[in-house]
């Protein structure tokens, strides 16, 4: 069996050829709600279906199509990864991390991970964007489990004390001072939490909950990329209000925020 690291190096070579670029500088993983606005980054110079690249598994979530768009923004070559895959679709941690590993192996040193998340803070209205300051990985797995990474990559015992780049978070504040920061608790899902689980992670310091991002962030940091995480709060977490959670409100919040999210991404990439 091919090691996940080798697989990413091979997929990166395939991606560069298919996309017609020598290397990337920046990668943006587009989570729920973020894809619609991404056209603000400009017209893609190429589109590569991820199904044509080694090791990529097809997304099963509606609104996620597996595609890597290449856009040129302010002198940066940017890979827009659409169609994230999750543990709850039955994927392994390595499969979840593969797209991020691939774009980093193709050169991206800056990785922006976007997602939709539930918010624990009642004063944080749906539609708000929060920069992830740190995370609680509650998935009970790691993309670094298994065979040791090759010598060309870092040790699997990677330090995560600076996982979400302070420099990039400062850049977010300079682009939009209204954006606050919070700790993201990453669950496996796909069920939403119970109110007791939300009280638990709240007591542990979380202000965001979701089902993605944490494994990608770990894999990216392991490959020495600079990581930024951005959450679009689309719902109050369970028990925060009386309203039950539903997937539709998540999609609607994304649609109504699309233009401002695209604008934020464009301003950020310009500022890099
Ligand atoms: I959007 O409330 C979105 N994703 N785990 N909990 C979890 N994931 C989410 C939630 C939420 N909202």
């Amino acid at each position: 069996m091919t090691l996940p690291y080798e697989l990413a190096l091979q997929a990166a070579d395939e991606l560069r050829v298919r996309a017609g670029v020598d290397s990337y500088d920046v990668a943006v993983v587009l989570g729920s709600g973020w894809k619609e606005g991404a056209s603000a980054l400009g017209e893609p110079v190429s589109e590569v279906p991820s199904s044509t690249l080694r090791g990529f598994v097809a997304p099963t979530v509606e609104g996620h199509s597996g595609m890597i768009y290449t856009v040129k923004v302010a002198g940066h070559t940017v890979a827009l990864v659409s169609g994230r895959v999750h543990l709850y679709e039955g994927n392994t941690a390595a499969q979840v991390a593969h797209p991020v590993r691939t774009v980093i192996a193709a050169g991206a040193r800056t990785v922006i991970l976007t997602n939709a998340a539930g918010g624990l803070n009642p004063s944080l209205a749906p539609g708000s964007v929060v920069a992830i300051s740190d995370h609680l990985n509650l998935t009970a797995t790691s993309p670094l489990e298994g065979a040791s990474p090759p010598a060309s990559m870092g040790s699997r015992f990677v330090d995560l004390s600076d996982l979400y780049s302070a420099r990039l978070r400062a850049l977010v504040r300079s682009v939009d001072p209204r954006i606050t920061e919070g700790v993201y608790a990453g669950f496996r899902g796909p069920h939403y939490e119970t109110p007791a689980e939300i009280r638990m992670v709240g007591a542990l310091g979380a202000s965001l909950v979701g089902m993605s991002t944490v494994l990608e962030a770990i894999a990216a940091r392991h490959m020495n990329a600079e990581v930024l995480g951005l959450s679009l709060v689309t719902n109050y977490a369970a028990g925060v209000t009386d309203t039950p959670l539903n997937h539709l409100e998540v999609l609607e919040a994304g649609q109504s925020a699309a233009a401002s999210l695209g604008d934020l991404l464009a301003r950020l990439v310009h500022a890099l």
Side-chain angles (χ1 to χ4, degrees):
M1 200 196 85
T2 316
L3 288 173
Y5 309 98
E6 260 101 88
L7 201 59
L9 292 167
Q10 292 167 358
D13 286 339
E14 295 173 343
L15 171 62
R16 281 187 288 239
V17 171
R18 299 243 162 83
V21 298
D22 291 335
S23 184
Y24 289 94
D25 308 299
V26 182
V28 184
V29 176
L30 298 168
S32 313
W34 292 81
K35 193 185 159 195
E36 293 76 8
S39 54
L41 288 164
E43 199 56 37
V45 298
S46 62
E47 308 183 358
V48 178
S50 47
S51 59
T52 66
L53 302 171
R54 216 169 286 221
F56 279 71
V57 292
T60 65
V61 187
E62 259 160 278
H64 290 249
S65 73
M67 195 73 85
I68 299 182
Y69 302 95
T70 300
V71 287
K72 306 269 187 171
V73 186
H76 303 296
T77 303
V78 183
L80 297 179
V81 181
S82 117
R84 152 182 282 141
V85 294
H86 307 79
L87 287 175
Y88 65 70
E89 295 169 88
N91 298 306
T92 64
Q95 286 169 327
V96 168
H98 182 65
V100 154
R101 284 190 168 130
T102 298
V103 289
I104 296 171
R109 308 309 315 150
T110 306
V111 174
I112 303 176
L113 302 172
T114 66
N115 62 44
L120 274 74
N121 181 347
S123 70
L124 203 67
S128 316
V129 174
V130 178
I132 300 174
S133 57
D134 205 344
H135 79 212
L136 294 166
N137 174 14
L138 301 176
T139 66
T141 187
S142 166
L144 302 174
E145 261 186 19
S148 192
S152 61
M153 291 183 198
S155 156
R156 57 181 148 195
F157 304 109
V158 60
D159 173 30
L160 299 181
S161 48
D162 59 352
L163 180 50
Y164 296 92
S165 162
R167 187 185 79 87
L168 293 178
R169 285 185 276 141
L171 204 66
V172 170
R173 284 195 296 278
S174 74
V175 162
D176 187 345
R178 292 168 306 179
I179 296 178
T180 59
E181 293 188 358
V183 173
Y184 178 97
F187 283 90
R188 299 178 72 100
H191 53 276
Y192 294 117
E193 295 69 33
T194 62
E197 287 163 346
I198 291 302
R199 288 194 298 276
M200 172 183 77
V201 293
L204 298 175
S207 51
L208 302 161
V209 269
M211 307 173 192
S212 67
T213 306
V214 295
L215 303 179
E216 295 154 58
I218 294 166
R221 195 73 198 96
H222 170 252
M223 290 175 75
N224 215 25
E226 205 176 1
V227 178
L228 175 66
L230 294 173
S231 291
L232 168 70
V233 175
T234 56
N235 61 278
Y236 293 109
V240 174
T241 66
D242 310 333
T243 342
L245 277 63
N246 72 81
H247 187 59
L248 203 64
E249 76 174 338
V250 168
L251 298 177
E252 284 169 1
Q255 267 147 24
S256 53
S260 63
L261 299 182
D263 180 61
L264 171 63
L265 286 178
R267 274 143 48 97
L268 258 176
V269 175
H270 276 273
L272 284 172

